[in-house]
Amino acid sequence: MKDISFLTNTPIAHRGYHNSKYPENSIAAFKNAMKYGYTIELDVHLTKDYKIVVFHDKTLKRVCNIDKCIEELTYEELSKYNLFDTKYKIPLLKEVLDLVNGKAGLLIETKVIRFNGKLEEELSKLLDNYKGPFAVQSFNIFSICEITN
């Protein structure tokens, strides 16, 4: 098992260190969390074209005021929308991993609407090459079983 002591030794910024200036699960919120030395909790979904994006909700309604489901859109379609009427966009997990690059711990929550193992497969590919501290969590037991196998 990997060393996950960062989860108890460092405060965790839920969805990044967000506020009215830096929206949740945005690159700006993650930079802000790193500035203060926090571990970053974030949520991931798989898009229709198998890209892993960082976003909490199942739909864009609350954050982007568009009644569409994340999993039914391609990343190109998602990239048209801003987070909470700011200039910030929905990031790819790859962008976040490149940004953080081991400078902060990551607590990654898989958001699974219809389990098929594809999110976990793509996530494992990304995390296999990631050098920083991370842990994966989910409310979906099948997702956790897939990650740990």
Short mmCIF file of all heavy atoms in Angstrom, two decimals, residues 47 49 53 55 60 63-66 68 70 72-92 95:
data_model
loop_
_atom_site.label_atom_id
_atom_site.label_comp_id
_atom_site.label_asym_id
_atom_site.label_seq_id
_atom_site.Cartn_x
_atom_site.Cartn_y
_atom_site.Cartn_z
N THR A 47 -16.06 11.63 -19.77
CA THR A 47 -16.90 12.20 -20.82
C THR A 47 -17.27 11.14 -21.86
O THR A 47 -16.73 10.03 -21.85
CB THR A 47 -16.18 13.35 -21.53
OG1 THR A 47 -15.02 12.82 -22.18
CG2 THR A 47 -15.80 14.46 -20.57
N ASP A 49 -16.40 10.99 -24.82
CA ASP A 49 -15.22 10.63 -25.63
C ASP A 49 -14.06 10.13 -24.76
O ASP A 49 -12.91 10.17 -25.17
CB ASP A 49 -14.80 11.77 -26.54
CG ASP A 49 -14.51 13.07 -25.80
OD1 ASP A 49 -14.89 13.21 -24.62
OD2 ASP A 49 -13.89 13.97 -26.40
N VAL A 53 -12.57 14.40 -16.75
CA VAL A 53 -12.69 15.80 -16.38
C VAL A 53 -12.90 15.93 -14.88
O VAL A 53 -13.39 15.01 -14.22
CB VAL A 53 -13.84 16.52 -17.13
CG1 VAL A 53 -13.55 16.59 -18.61
CG2 VAL A 53 -15.19 15.85 -16.87
N PHE A 55 -14.90 17.59 -12.13
CA PHE A 55 -16.21 18.24 -11.95
C PHE A 55 -16.96 17.43 -10.90
O PHE A 55 -16.90 16.20 -10.90
CB PHE A 55 -16.96 18.25 -13.28
CG PHE A 55 -18.09 19.23 -13.35
CD1 PHE A 55 -17.84 20.57 -13.63
CD2 PHE A 55 -19.39 18.83 -13.17
CE1 PHE A 55 -18.88 21.49 -13.71
CE2 PHE A 55 -20.44 19.73 -13.25
CZ PHE A 55 -20.19 21.07 -13.52
N LEU A 60 -24.41 19.79 -15.49
CA LEU A 60 -23.82 21.12 -15.51
C LEU A 60 -24.75 22.18 -14.91
O LEU A 60 -24.38 23.35 -14.82
CB LEU A 60 -23.50 21.53 -16.96
CG LEU A 60 -22.51 20.63 -17.69
CD1 LEU A 60 -22.46 20.99 -19.16
CD2 LEU A 60 -21.14 20.75 -17.07
N VAL A 63 -23.48 24.49 -11.71
CA VAL A 63 -22.21 25.20 -11.89
C VAL A 63 -22.17 26.01 -13.19
O VAL A 63 -21.59 27.10 -13.22
CB VAL A 63 -21.03 24.21 -11.83
CG1 VAL A 63 -19.71 24.89 -12.09
CG2 VAL A 63 -21.02 23.49 -10.48
N CYS A 64 -22.79 25.49 -14.24
CA CYS A 64 -22.72 26.16 -15.55
C CYS A 64 -24.09 26.64 -16.06
O CYS A 64 -24.18 27.22 -17.14
CB CYS A 64 -22.11 25.23 -16.59
SG CYS A 64 -20.47 24.65 -16.18
N ASN A 65 -25.14 26.36 -15.29
CA ASN A 65 -26.50 26.76 -15.64
C ASN A 65 -26.96 26.17 -16.99
O ASN A 65 -27.69 26.82 -17.75
CB ASN A 65 -26.65 28.28 -15.62
CG ASN A 65 -28.11 28.69 -15.43
OD1 ASN A 65 -28.89 27.95 -14.83
ND2 ASN A 65 -28.47 29.84 -15.95
N ILE A 66 -26.52 24.96 -17.27
CA ILE A 66 -26.91 24.23 -18.48
C ILE A 66 -27.40 22.86 -18.03
O ILE A 66 -26.69 22.16 -17.30
CB ILE A 66 -25.69 24.03 -19.44
CG1 ILE A 66 -25.04 25.35 -19.79
CG2 ILE A 66 -26.07 23.23 -20.67
CD1 ILE A 66 -25.86 26.26 -20.65
N LYS A 68 -27.41 19.69 -18.78
CA LYS A 68 -26.84 18.59 -19.57
C LYS A 68 -25.99 17.73 -18.65
O LYS A 68 -25.40 18.22 -17.69
CB LYS A 68 -25.98 19.13 -20.71
CG LYS A 68 -26.79 19.88 -21.75
CD LYS A 68 -25.94 20.30 -22.92
CE LYS A 68 -26.83 21.01 -23.95
NZ LYS A 68 -26.10 21.36 -25.15
N ILE A 70 -22.77 15.42 -17.77
CA ILE A 70 -21.34 15.34 -18.11
C ILE A 70 -21.04 14.15 -19.01
O ILE A 70 -20.36 14.27 -20.02
CB ILE A 70 -20.48 15.23 -16.82
CG1 ILE A 70 -20.52 16.52 -16.03
CG2 ILE A 70 -19.06 14.81 -17.13
CD1 ILE A 70 -19.51 17.55 -16.43
N GLU A 72 -22.71 12.55 -21.08
CA GLU A 72 -23.33 12.55 -22.42
C GLU A 72 -22.69 13.55 -23.36
O GLU A 72 -23.12 13.71 -24.50
CB GLU A 72 -24.82 12.82 -22.28
CG GLU A 72 -25.55 11.70 -21.54
CD GLU A 72 -26.98 12.05 -21.19
OE1 GLU A 72 -27.43 13.18 -21.46
OE2 GLU A 72 -27.66 11.17 -20.63
N LEU A 73 -21.65 14.24 -22.89
CA LEU A 73 -20.98 15.26 -23.69
C LEU A 73 -19.52 14.90 -23.94
O LEU A 73 -18.90 14.24 -23.13
CB LEU A 73 -21.06 16.62 -22.98
CG LEU A 73 -22.46 17.17 -22.70
CD1 LEU A 73 -22.39 18.36 -21.78
CD2 LEU A 73 -23.15 17.53 -24.00
N THR A 74 -19.00 15.39 -25.05
CA THR A 74 -17.56 15.24 -25.32
C THR A 74 -16.82 16.34 -24.58
O THR A 74 -17.42 17.34 -24.16
CB THR A 74 -17.26 15.36 -26.82
OG1 THR A 74 -17.57 16.69 -27.25
CG2 THR A 74 -18.03 14.33 -27.64
N TYR A 75 -15.51 16.18 -24.46
CA TYR A 75 -14.74 17.23 -23.81
C TYR A 75 -14.80 18.52 -24.62
O TYR A 75 -14.88 19.61 -24.05
CB TYR A 75 -13.28 16.82 -23.58
CG TYR A 75 -12.53 17.93 -22.91
CD1 TYR A 75 -12.84 18.29 -21.60
CD2 TYR A 75 -11.58 18.66 -23.58
CE1 TYR A 75 -12.19 19.33 -20.98
CE2 TYR A 75 -10.92 19.72 -22.96
CZ TYR A 75 -11.24 20.04 -21.66
OH TYR A 75 -10.61 21.09 -21.05
N GLU A 76 -14.80 18.42 -25.92
CA GLU A 76 -14.91 19.63 -26.76
C GLU A 76 -16.20 20.38 -26.46
O GLU A 76 -16.21 21.60 -26.35
CB GLU A 76 -14.84 19.25 -28.24
CG GLU A 76 -14.87 20.45 -29.16
CD GLU A 76 -14.77 20.08 -30.64
OE1 GLU A 76 -14.32 18.99 -30.96
OE2 GLU A 76 -15.16 20.93 -31.46
N GLU A 77 -17.29 19.65 -26.30
CA GLU A 77 -18.57 20.29 -25.95
C GLU A 77 -18.50 20.93 -24.56
O GLU A 77 -18.96 22.06 -24.37
CB GLU A 77 -19.71 19.26 -26.01
CG GLU A 77 -20.01 18.79 -27.42
CD GLU A 77 -20.92 17.57 -27.45
OE1 GLU A 77 -20.83 16.69 -26.59
OE2 GLU A 77 -21.74 17.51 -28.40
N LEU A 78 -17.91 20.23 -23.61
CA LEU A 78 -17.79 20.77 -22.25
C LEU A 78 -16.92 22.02 -22.19
O LEU A 78 -17.16 22.90 -21.37
CB LEU A 78 -17.18 19.73 -21.31
CG LEU A 78 -18.08 18.61 -20.84
CD1 LEU A 78 -17.28 17.61 -20.03
CD2 LEU A 78 -19.24 19.15 -20.03
N SER A 79 -15.94 22.08 -23.05
CA SER A 79 -14.99 23.20 -23.00
C SER A 79 -15.61 24.53 -23.40
O SER A 79 -15.00 25.58 -23.23
CB SER A 79 -13.76 22.90 -23.86
OG SER A 79 -14.12 22.84 -25.22
N LYS A 80 -16.84 24.52 -23.86
CA LYS A 80 -17.55 25.76 -24.22
C LYS A 80 -18.11 26.47 -23.00
O LYS A 80 -18.46 27.64 -23.07
CB LYS A 80 -18.70 25.44 -25.18
CG LYS A 80 -18.25 24.87 -26.50
CD LYS A 80 -19.44 24.47 -27.34
CE LYS A 80 -18.96 23.77 -28.61
NZ LYS A 80 -20.07 23.21 -29.35
N TYR A 81 -18.22 25.75 -21.88
CA TYR A 81 -18.91 26.29 -20.71
C TYR A 81 -17.93 26.81 -19.66
O TYR A 81 -16.89 26.22 -19.42
CB TYR A 81 -19.83 25.23 -20.10
CG TYR A 81 -20.80 24.68 -21.10
CD1 TYR A 81 -20.73 23.35 -21.49
CD2 TYR A 81 -21.76 25.49 -21.69
CE1 TYR A 81 -21.62 22.84 -22.43
CE2 TYR A 81 -22.65 24.99 -22.63
CZ TYR A 81 -22.57 23.66 -22.99
OH TYR A 81 -23.44 23.17 -23.92
N ASN A 82 -18.33 27.90 -19.02
CA ASN A 82 -17.54 28.49 -17.92
C ASN A 82 -18.12 28.07 -16.58
O ASN A 82 -19.32 27.82 -16.46
CB ASN A 82 -17.54 30.01 -18.02
CG ASN A 82 -16.82 30.50 -19.25
OD1 ASN A 82 -16.27 29.73 -20.02
ND2 ASN A 82 -16.82 31.79 -19.45
N LEU A 83 -17.26 28.03 -15.58
CA LEU A 83 -17.69 27.68 -14.23
C LEU A 83 -18.23 28.91 -13.51
O LEU A 83 -17.53 29.92 -13.38
CB LEU A 83 -16.50 27.11 -13.44
CG LEU A 83 -15.82 25.88 -14.05
CD1 LEU A 83 -14.53 25.56 -13.29
CD2 LEU A 83 -16.75 24.69 -14.04
N PHE A 84 -19.46 28.86 -13.07
CA PHE A 84 -20.10 29.93 -12.29
C PHE A 84 -19.89 31.32 -12.89
O PHE A 84 -19.52 32.26 -12.19
CB PHE A 84 -19.56 29.94 -10.85
CG PHE A 84 -20.00 28.76 -10.03
CD1 PHE A 84 -19.06 27.80 -9.64
CD2 PHE A 84 -21.31 28.62 -9.63
CE1 PHE A 84 -19.44 26.73 -8.86
CE2 PHE A 84 -21.70 27.54 -8.85
CZ PHE A 84 -20.76 26.59 -8.47
N ASP A 85 -20.10 31.48 -14.15
CA ASP A 85 -19.97 32.80 -14.80
C ASP A 85 -18.60 33.44 -14.62
O ASP A 85 -18.47 34.66 -14.54
CB ASP A 85 -21.06 33.77 -14.31
CG ASP A 85 -22.45 33.31 -14.72
OD1 ASP A 85 -22.59 32.80 -15.85
OD2 ASP A 85 -23.38 33.45 -13.91
N THR A 86 -17.56 32.62 -14.50
CA THR A 86 -16.18 33.12 -14.44
C THR A 86 -15.51 32.80 -15.77
O THR A 86 -16.13 32.22 -16.66
CB THR A 86 -15.38 32.44 -13.30
OG1 THR A 86 -15.19 31.06 -13.63
CG2 THR A 86 -16.07 32.60 -11.96
N LYS A 87 -14.26 33.12 -15.88
CA LYS A 87 -13.50 32.80 -17.09
C LYS A 87 -12.98 31.36 -17.07
O LYS A 87 -12.45 30.87 -18.06
CB LYS A 87 -12.32 33.76 -17.25
CG LYS A 87 -11.29 33.64 -16.15
CD LYS A 87 -10.15 34.62 -16.33
CE LYS A 87 -9.13 34.47 -15.20
NZ LYS A 87 -8.03 35.38 -15.30
N TYR A 88 -13.12 30.67 -15.93
CA TYR A 88 -12.54 29.34 -15.76
C TYR A 88 -13.40 28.26 -16.39
O TYR A 88 -14.62 28.30 -16.36
CB TYR A 88 -12.31 29.06 -14.28
CG TYR A 88 -11.37 30.05 -13.67
CD1 TYR A 88 -11.83 31.07 -12.84
CD2 TYR A 88 -10.01 30.02 -13.97
CE1 TYR A 88 -10.97 32.00 -12.31
CE2 TYR A 88 -9.14 30.95 -13.44
CZ TYR A 88 -9.63 31.94 -12.62
OH TYR A 88 -8.76 32.87 -12.10
N LYS A 89 -12.71 27.27 -16.95
CA LYS A 89 -13.34 26.15 -17.65
C LYS A 89 -13.21 24.86 -16.84
O LYS A 89 -12.46 24.79 -15.88
CB LYS A 89 -12.65 25.93 -19.01
CG LYS A 89 -12.65 27.14 -19.93
CD LYS A 89 -14.00 27.38 -20.50
CE LYS A 89 -14.00 28.49 -21.54
NZ LYS A 89 -15.32 28.73 -22.08
N ILE A 90 -13.91 23.84 -17.27
CA ILE A 90 -13.82 22.51 -16.66
C ILE A 90 -12.48 21.90 -17.07
O ILE A 90 -12.23 21.72 -18.27
CB ILE A 90 -14.99 21.62 -17.13
CG1 ILE A 90 -16.33 22.23 -16.73
CG2 ILE A 90 -14.83 20.20 -16.58
CD1 ILE A 90 -17.53 21.59 -17.38
N PRO A 91 -11.62 21.60 -16.11
CA PRO A 91 -10.29 21.07 -16.49
C PRO A 91 -10.29 19.56 -16.72
O PRO A 91 -11.11 18.83 -16.15
CB PRO A 91 -9.43 21.43 -15.28
CG PRO A 91 -10.36 21.47 -14.14
CD PRO A 91 -11.71 21.90 -14.69
N LEU A 92 -9.36 19.13 -17.53
CA LEU A 92 -9.05 17.71 -17.64
C LEU A 92 -8.23 17.31 -16.43
O LEU A 92 -7.43 18.10 -15.91
CB LEU A 92 -8.22 17.45 -18.89
CG LEU A 92 -8.91 17.58 -20.24
CD1 LEU A 92 -7.88 17.62 -21.36
CD2 LEU A 92 -9.89 16.43 -20.44
N GLU A 95 -4.55 17.89 -16.95
CA GLU A 95 -4.09 19.26 -16.69
C GLU A 95 -3.78 19.46 -15.21
O GLU A 95 -2.80 20.12 -14.85
CB GLU A 95 -5.14 20.28 -17.11
CG GLU A 95 -5.41 20.36 -18.58
CD GLU A 95 -6.57 21.32 -18.85
OE1 GLU A 95 -7.74 20.89 -18.71
OE2 GLU A 95 -6.28 22.49 -19.18
#
